[in-house]
Amino acid sequence: QTKLGRFPNANDVQQECNRIIQSSHLAGRDLLRIYFYDASPAKDKLKNPVDGSALDLSATAEFKQHVSLLDTLELMPNFAVRKGELVVQGMMSTPRAPAAKDFVPDLEQEGR
C-alpha cells in the first residue's frame, strides 16, 4: 500500500510475486505455490464512547477492498490464501484530550 499509494488489488500482488520469481536467486526453480497469509477484515459494529455514533466496519471502503483482494487471490492459479481471525479490541484514541473523531477500531490478528 505504501509503495503503490493505494490499497493493492490482486493484480498488484501477482505482479509483485512475478517480480520476485524473476530473481536470479530463484533461477532454475519451479513455483509450487504462493501462500498469502492475512485475516478476513473485521465486520463488527462499534460505538464511539464519546459521542455515541456507530461505526459499521463492514460498510467501509477498506472492508470492501480487503474482501475483494482475498476473494480474488483465492481464485488465482498458484495462490493459497490462509486466513487468520481478526479480533476487535474496542476503540482507541490518540494521546490528547479525546474527541469523537479520535476513536478508531483497535484490531488484532490472532496467531494460529
Side-chain angles (χ1 to χ4, degrees):
Q1 185 168 341
T2 301
K3 183 177 179 180
L4 294 171
R6 61 175 170 74
F7 191 83
N9 60 39
N11 288 329
D12 297 325
V13 173
Q14 186 176 36
Q15 286 176 1
E16 184 63 15
C17 290
N18 289 339
R19 185 191 67 76
I20 294 168
I21 291 166
Q22 300 304 315
S23 168
S24 61
H25 294 90
L26 300 175
R29 307 274 183 174
D30 293 326
L31 174 66
L32 175 62
R33 186 172 298 113
I34 298 168
Y35 287 100
F36 190 88
Y37 292 90
D38 204 354
S40 295
K43 53 186 171 190
D44 299 75
K45 293 179 181 170
L46 306 175
K47 182 177 177 183
N48 189 298
V50 174
D51 68 0
S53 63
L55 173 60
D56 181 359
L57 297 175
S58 67
T60 64
E62 292 86 358
F63 177 87
K64 292 172 184 142
Q65 290 171 331
H66 205 111
V67 167
S68 176
L69 172 64
L70 294 175
D71 288 349
T72 306
L73 282 176
E74 278 185 322
L75 299 175
M76 295 178 80
N78 300 321
F79 276 88
V81 175
R82 300 294 182 255
K83 295 179 186 174
E85 291 184 26
L86 201 58
V87 178
V88 176
Q89 300 292 335
M91 301 280 274
M92 59 184 230
S93 70
T94 57
R96 59 178 169 73
K101 67 178 183 172
D102 294 331
F103 289 86
V104 296
D106 183 11
L107 308 171
E108 178 181 306
Q109 184 174 347
E110 287 186 9
R112 287 205 178 223

